[in-house]
Amino acid sequence: MLPKSAAIAEAKDGGDACTQYGALCWRRAGDGVEVLLVTSRDTGRWVIPKGWPMAGLGPSETARQEAYEEAGVDGKVRDACAGLYSYTKVLGPDRSTGVPCVVAVYPIEVRKLAGKFPEAQERRRKWFSPKKAASKVDEPELGALLLNVARTVASPDNKGSRGRKSG
């Protein structure tokens, strides 16, 4: 695993895309499920919590940690990746540099939302139906994951790790 700065430098130089880990946060609602989206810090777009690999944490654990930091989520993460999506991470003060990123997405069944969490002052969070959430995000592959994964995560065989690992 390359450090964030090395991974970005390699991707900018024509190397492989950067890898990030994302959390598809969901809860049961009536006969179906709802998914939690957060706003990005820079543009205010609706996104899922995601971030760079973290030393000492595996992919699903990193997704769980990002869900806590960005949305205050405490819940049960599924250890198996539910899917991938790609996007271009825009960097720099003038937002002129684009780096290709691939996000591995891990479903998290939300058990509790904290009122205080690290990025509470920088983001909004909101529950949506899977269809509405899919229409709110800019990335078509993420939209498809929101529609498809939301139907399968509520199955009785949804297994994963409970709780939040604090860093």
Side-chain angles (χ1 to χ4, degrees), residues 66-81:
E66 291 294 340
Y68 170 72
E69 291 176 10
E70 297 183 12
V73 166
D74 189 6
K76 182 174 76 169
V77 64
R78 185 179 278 186
D79 293 324
C81 178

Side-chain angles (χ1 to χ4, degrees), residues 14 23-24 39 44 56 64 72-73 96-97 107 109 112 133-135 139 150 154:
L24 175 54
T39 54
R64 181 171 51 200
V73 166
S96 62
T97 304
E109 184 176 8
K112 185 170 65 170
S135 75
E139 301 82 3

Side-chain angles (χ1 to χ4, degrees), residues 18-94:
C18 295
T19 299
Q20 292 188 311
Y21 301 115
L24 175 54
C25 304
W26 66 278
R27 69 179 178 188
R28 298 178 196 285
D31 292 337
V33 297
E34 292 179 321
V35 294
L36 185 69
L37 297 181
V38 297
T39 54
S40 67
R41 289 188 290 188
D42 52 356
T43 64
R45 294 178 305 108
W46 289 106
V47 298
I48 63 171
K50 66 182 175 307
W52 304 102
M54 295 180 183
L57 297 181
S60 65
E61 301 291 322
T62 297
R64 181 171 51 200
Q65 183 65 31
E66 291 294 340
Y68 170 72
E69 291 176 10
E70 297 183 12
V73 166
D74 189 6
K76 182 174 76 169
V77 64
R78 185 179 278 186
D79 293 324
C81 178
L84 305 170
Y85 76 93
S86 60
Y87 79 106
T88 300
K89 175 92 175 156
V90 182
L91 303 168
D94 59 357

Side-chain angles (χ1 to χ4, degrees), residues 111-123:
R111 304 298 174 134
K112 185 170 65 170
L113 285 177
K116 294 181 181 179
F117 53 96
E119 297 181 16
Q121 300 302 313
E122 302 171 71
R123 299 180 186 272

